[in-house]
Amino acid sequence: MLLLFIVGLLVHFVFFASIFDIYFTSPLVHGMTPQSTPLPPPARRLMLIVADGLRADALYELDENGDSRAPFIRNIIMHEGSWGVSHTRVPTESRPGHVALIAGFYEDVSAVAKGWKENPVEFDSLINESKYTWSWGSPDILSMFAKAAGKHVYTYSYDANDEDFGAQDVTKLDTWVFDNIKEFFHAARKNQSLFSQLNEEKIVFFLHLLGIDTNGHAHRPSSREYKENVKLVDEGIKELASLLKEFYGNDEKTAFILTSDHGMTDWGFHGTGHPSETYTPFVTWGAGIKYPQKVSAQQFDDALLKECKLEDWKRRDINQADIAPLMASLIGVPFPLNSVGILPVDYLNNTDVFKAESMFTNAVQILEQFKVKMTQKKEVTLSFLFTPFKLLSDSKHLNLLRKARSYIKQNKFEEAVSLCQELIQLALQGLSYYHTYDRFFLGFNVVLGFVGWASYASLHIIKSHSSLTRSVSKVKKPSGLLPCSFVAIGILIAIFLLIQSCPWTYYVYCLLPVPIWYAVLREYQVIQGLVTSLLTFPPRHFAGYLLVYTLGIEVLVLSFFYRYMLTAGLVVLAVWPFTTQLWTRAKGISLSWIFFCLLLAVFPLMPVVGRKPDIFLVMGAGLLVLLLSLFVITSLIKRKESFVNEELVLNLLQMLSTVLSMFAVYSTHNSLLKKQGLPLINQIISWVILASSFVVPLLSPTVLFERLVSILLSSMSTYLLLSRGYKQFFKTLFSVASFK
């Protein structure tokens, strides 16, 4: 049994690791040639302002008095620049958002292993390609791009300990950025070397403003602190724009971009795909940017235009990754090599030939990635097994490039732009095709191994806990042909992988099913007994059970998309006793089962997450856990004649753990409301409870019921620490129903 457990643990670890090789591999490739627009750029410098955690509606909407909380930005929208919504992608986190903005590609999903804090693979970005970049803000974000760039990048950041989520109003983080950049430009007047660098072309100023995000987490986006922080950012940008105009003598060679890496839900979180997280503001003005355009009708049907009173000013939405090629085009640097963004030409205020040439450069840059990806996959795949991407063959992409170049020479710029956009879409499809090329192959092998392991585990249980094999006549053991066949299969698979220069993990996923299925086929007597038993089972009953199991699995699958399917399943479980003899034999247990199932059926219909924590519900759930603990202890004392003091002390300790959890939750809630941060004693209590919840159950008696009770009570206190509303009630009621 111990050997089976160890092998099972190892097999499941391999299955878990396979997820990263199948779905979480880096999309980045290297070896491309940099591509830049040959014509002079409209701007000499770019200022990128990223207001972390700023929702689109929070910037654009009017307050209760009908006034804008960002009057400078609103004036830009109406008189100087262009605006729209930048659509982000999941995960809506800071690292993926900034990578999309500055490098032009969406999250390298393999970075999930690093908590989305840095990219595990080197990548090119606008900052790499710039002549000089100066950046101010959070050390987490700035260091990520400075690490990937060279010595031409200068960073100025505050201490990471200043990023306090609740101790006080954190607008000081943004004030620090604005104050330091002002001091920087004032100092540059007295520093000839710095002054010369600042007057170079192809330079970038990057401002990362973390205050809005931190205030949103601590106080919610609807709070006064969040809205005041938006106003502070608007005032800071106004002063900054005036400062740059004065410093550069109003040369009109500065382009400004204001956006955000992600939004935030009403309850102060981000990471998923809710519109409040994926809709971020995008406002740009200055050199090379189109002026405002009045329109009588818009192409967008969301409520943002009417709520913000901006329906008369043309809104131009873009994808977040499209910002990188736009910035590269504005200052004339090569497009980031790994960018998959499509240049939004509608934002450009420049000649038609510049737009066409920029779009052509964008198409060649993305096509370079496609060609490298295809070559890499072709080199490690046997020629007779390689299936190329048929929609974009070598001849087709060459013809499209020639045709686009011909259109530019003939001054058919709109046709050239349209053709380049078509080529980009095909190249992006091809990139996705080659990136997921091995997904089916790996998935098939992992599924084969998983099904084999599930089969072996099932056969082992049947062999150990049933009498099926007794009725089977003893069959002579097979010859050595079976192990020899599996050894031969393993060798052939290894040779196949070796020829294709596959990573070592591929060997694990492809070879693991071989010994697993060998172990399955060795249990031929159990398989024979199981088949014999199934053949004697009435066909009608067999079909009925199969239908019930299939429907149950389908309900579970659909519940991932529609929570109310769990309600339907629990209602069906509630009426289950009526279909058996349990109703006539134990009506009390049946009634309690029905009662708890119907109670549980209510929870999937409730909101997933509350907009704000309900501390009274959490405290009520804690009291319910205490009452349940008292009931269980009393029952154990009555059931056992010799209830030793050690067991009583253990149960009392678990009750004390629940009380401490309630104290920690209540105290933390009040402390955050008073903006006093998280008390140290609460942190200590929480970590002690979490650690003890794994240890205390091991000290309980090994009797099944008592061990389960101990595990339940220990997990309850930990779960209570994580509760913000009704969820603890679900856990408690579910546990009671399970015991029933």
Side-chain angles (χ1 to χ4, degrees):
M1 184 58 70
L2 179 61
L3 179 62
L4 181 70
F5 176 79
I6 294 173
V7 172
L9 197 63
L10 178 64
V11 168
H12 280 81
F13 175 78
V14 171
F15 292 151
F16 176 77
S18 70
I19 296 173
F20 290 87
D21 271 327
I22 297 174
Y23 298 104
F24 291 86
T25 54
S26 175
L28 304 184
V29 291
H30 299 88
M32 293 80 68
T33 304
Q35 304 292 328
S36 58
T37 306
L39 300 177
R44 291 176 61 86
R45 67 199 70 91
L46 170 81
M47 176 157 284
L48 172 62
I49 306 164
V50 180
D52 203 310
L54 177 60
R55 292 164 39 149
D57 57 353
L59 180 70
Y60 296 141
E61 69 185 2
L62 304 175
D63 61 20
E64 56 275 4
N65 299 320
D67 300 323
S68 173
R69 66 174 57 94
F72 175 74
I73 295 301
R74 195 170 186 88
N75 181 70
I76 292 292
I77 292 172
M78 294 181 173
H79 299 100
E80 294 188 39
S82 297
W83 77 287
V85 171
S86 169
H87 296 269
T88 70
R89 289 191 184 180
V90 176
T92 45
E93 297 285 351
S94 290
R95 189 209 64 84
H98 281 88
V99 168
L101 282 168
I102 299 174
F105 67 89
Y106 293 106
E107 76 282 352
D108 179 353
V109 289
S110 61
V112 67
K114 296 193 174 185
W116 303 116
K117 291 301 181 185
E118 67 174 299
N119 204 296
V121 180
E122 289 186 6
F123 60 93
D124 189 27
S125 71
L126 178 81
I127 290 176
N128 289 54
E129 301 293 351
S130 66
K131 183 73 174 288
Y132 296 107
T133 292
W134 289 270
S135 54
W136 294 264
S138 167
D140 293 337
I141 299 300
L142 302 191
S143 62
M144 178 177 69
F145 290 100
K147 179 181 177 181
K151 294 182 179 180
H152 65 284
V153 179
Y154 305 93
T155 61
Y156 305 90
S157 58
Y158 40 75
D159 192 273
N161 294 325
D162 292 336
E163 301 173 9
D164 195 328
F165 289 83
Q168 52 187 307
D169 187 10
V170 288
T171 54
K172 65 175 185 179
L173 298 178
D174 297 343
T175 303
W176 185 95
V177 171
F178 289 123
D179 289 345
N180 274 264
I181 195 171
K182 290 174 189 174
E183 293 175 7
F184 172 80
F185 277 102
H186 288 314
R189 296 181 184 278
K190 303 175 184 178
N191 187 327
Q192 186 58 43
S193 174
L194 178 58
F195 186 83
S196 299
Q197 289 179 333
L198 288 172
N199 279 279
E200 295 275 1
E201 59 182 17
K202 301 179 181 180
I203 64 173
V204 176
F205 303 109
F206 172 36
L207 278 66
H208 176 246
L209 306 174
L210 187 60
I212 292 175
D213 181 74
T214 311
N215 265 321
H217 286 308
H219 309 294
R220 311 292 181 267
S222 59
S223 66
R224 177 187 60 82
E225 290 83 358
Y226 187 92
K227 295 175 181 178
E228 288 295 325
N229 206 151
V230 175
K231 186 179 295 185
L232 180 144
V233 166
D234 179 73
E235 293 170 354
I237 295 173
K238 179 182 179 180
E239 294 177 9
L240 195 57
S242 177
L243 175 65
L244 262 69
K245 185 180 291 187
E246 178 188 352
F247 185 87
Y248 288 107
N250 196 20
D251 65 352
E252 297 184 349
K253 288 294 182 179
T254 306
F256 293 86
I257 287 179
L258 168 65
T259 187
S260 178
D261 53 348
H262 55 75
M264 188 172 290
T265 62
D266 291 340
W267 47 93
F269 293 97
H270 56 81
T272 59
H274 191 272
S276 62
E277 301 167 84
T278 60
Y279 279 37
T280 59
F282 183 75
V283 182
T284 180
W285 69 98
I289 297 298
K290 191 171 287 186
Y291 292 109
Q293 181 181 347
K294 276 205 164 189
V295 292
S296 57
Q298 302 266 16
Q299 60 178 346
F300 306 98
D301 57 359
D302 54 44
L304 184 66
L305 289 165
K306 290 185 177 180
E307 290 177 356
C308 302
K309 306 295 182 185
L310 289 170
E311 55 264 48
D312 295 334
W313 306 96
K314 186 171 183 180
R315 169 179 159 185
R316 300 176 173 93
D317 283 17
I318 60 172
N319 292 320
Q320 193 173 47
D322 300 342
I323 299 174
L326 174 63
M327 295 190 295
S329 176
L330 287 172
I331 60 175
V333 300
F335 286 33
L337 292 174
N338 304 114
S339 171
V340 294
I342 303 174
L343 177 66
V345 290
D346 198 30
Y347 271 96
L348 293 176
N349 179 24
N350 213 315
T351 61
D352 290 339
V353 64
F354 181 86
K355 295 178 183 178
E357 285 286 359
S358 297
M359 204 71 208
F360 185 85
T361 302
N362 193 186
V364 174
Q365 171 259 321
I366 293 178
L367 188 62
E368 282 279 316
Q369 296 181 72
F370 167 79
K371 289 159 66 177
V372 170
K373 196 83 171 177
M374 179 181 66
T375 302
Q376 288 180 351
K377 187 52 61 180
K378 196 172 184 179
E379 288 176 349
V380 296
T381 307
L382 295 175
S383 57
F384 66 91
L385 291 177
F386 180 72
T387 306
F389 181 63
K390 297 178 181 178
L391 296 179
L392 191 60
S393 61
D394 290 345
S395 58
K396 182 170 184 178
H397 81 249
L398 287 173
N399 287 335
L400 288 173
L401 286 175
R402 290 195 195 101
K403 197 172 182 180
R405 177 53 67 191
S406 175
Y407 279 147
I408 294 174
K409 289 180 179 179
Q410 298 171 28
N411 294 333
K412 297 180 179 180
F413 301 119
E414 290 187 7
E415 290 86 345
V417 168
S418 178
L419 195 63
C420 289
Q421 289 174 336
E422 178 188 345
L423 179 56
I424 287 173
Q425 293 297 339
L426 289 172
L428 291 175
Q429 291 179 38
L431 273 173
S432 177
Y433 172 81
Y434 287 119
H435 179 61
T436 59
Y437 191 86
D438 291 334
R439 185 167 291 179
F440 176 79
F441 171 70
L442 292 176
F444 174 79
N445 281 280
V446 170
V447 168
L448 188 66
F450 188 83
V451 171
W453 174 255
S455 302
Y456 178 74
S458 301
L459 292 173
H460 181 80
I461 293 171
I462 292 171
K463 181 180 179 180
S464 304
H465 301 282
S466 74
S467 57
L468 284 177
T469 56
R470 296 177 187 173
S471 58
V472 179
S473 57
K474 296 292 181 180
V475 181
K476 196 174 181 181
K477 285 188 177 182
S479 63
L481 181 62
L482 183 64
C484 290
S485 301
F486 275 89
V487 169
I489 291 172
I491 292 173
L492 290 174
I493 292 173
I495 293 173
F496 174 77
L497 297 174
L498 184 64
I499 292 173
Q500 299 197 107
S501 303
C502 292
W504 67 270
T505 52
Y506 281 39
Y507 289 82
V508 177
Y509 308 140
C510 297
L511 290 174
L512 185 61
V514 176
I516 289 177
W517 279 103
Y518 172 69
V520 170
L521 294 181
R522 281 193 63 189
E523 303 293 340
Y524 63 93
Q525 288 186 334
V526 183
I527 297 173
Q528 183 183 359
L530 181 62
V531 171
T532 304
S533 176
L534 290 175
L535 290 175
T536 59
F537 203 72
R540 188 168 57 183
H541 290 179
F542 179 79
Y545 282 122
L546 184 63
L547 178 63
V548 169
Y549 290 140
T550 303
L551 289 175
I553 292 172
E554 285 300 317
V555 166
L556 289 176
V557 172
L558 288 173
S559 68
F560 281 94
F561 307 97
Y562 311 101
R563 289 188 67 193
Y564 59 81
M565 291 303 299
L566 291 174
T567 298
L570 287 165
V571 170
V572 171
L573 284 176
V575 301
W576 165 71
F578 295 106
T579 64
T580 66
Q581 296 181 354
L582 185 63
W583 174 250
T584 56
R585 294 180 178 177
K587 287 190 176 181
I589 295 177
S590 299
L591 286 173
S592 63
W593 169 264
I594 294 169
F595 174 74
F596 283 111
C597 283
L598 292 177
L599 271 181
L600 290 173
V602 176
F603 286 93
L605 302 177
M606 299 175 73
V608 179
V609 181
R611 293 174 182 257
K612 58 181 181 179
D614 193 327
I615 195 66
F616 296 106
L617 277 178
V618 179
M619 293 298 103
L623 290 174
L624 183 61
V625 172
L626 288 175
L627 290 175
L628 178 64
S629 303
L630 284 173
F631 175 76
V632 169
I633 293 173
T634 305
S635 300
L636 288 174
I637 293 174
K638 289 181 179 179
R639 287 176 58 181
K640 294 183 67 175
E641 296 180 359
S642 57
F643 192 79
V644 297
N645 291 333
E646 289 80 2
E647 296 176 41
L648 180 60
V649 169
L650 188 66
N651 284 281
L652 290 176
L653 282 175
Q654 291 176 313
M655 290 183 65
L656 176 62
S657 177
T658 302
V659 173
L660 289 175
S661 295
M662 294 171 64
F663 165 78
V665 171
Y666 185 79
S667 174
T668 300
H669 177 76
N670 286 340
S671 181
L672 292 178
L673 284 179
K674 296 174 183 177
K675 302 179 186 178
Q676 295 176 348
L678 181 61
L680 177 61
I681 185 65
N682 291 17
Q683 299 179 46
I684 295 172
I685 289 173
S686 300
W687 283 110
V688 169
I689 290 173
L690 176 64
S692 64
S693 64
F694 293 98
V695 178
V696 171
L698 300 177
L699 305 177
S700 64
T702 55
V703 180
L704 178 62
F705 179 77
E706 295 180 28
R707 177 59 63 89
L708 288 176
V709 167
S710 182
I711 293 172
L712 169 64
L713 296 180
S714 290
S715 63
M716 285 290 190
S717 56
T718 303
Y719 199 81
L720 194 64
L721 291 172
L722 304 174
S723 296
R724 302 179 70 249
Y726 65 84
K727 296 296 181 71
Q728 179 69 20
F729 282 104
F730 173 82
K731 177 80 162 50
T732 307
L733 293 174
F734 180 78
S735 301
V736 174
S738 300
F739 276 107
K740 288 295 180 182

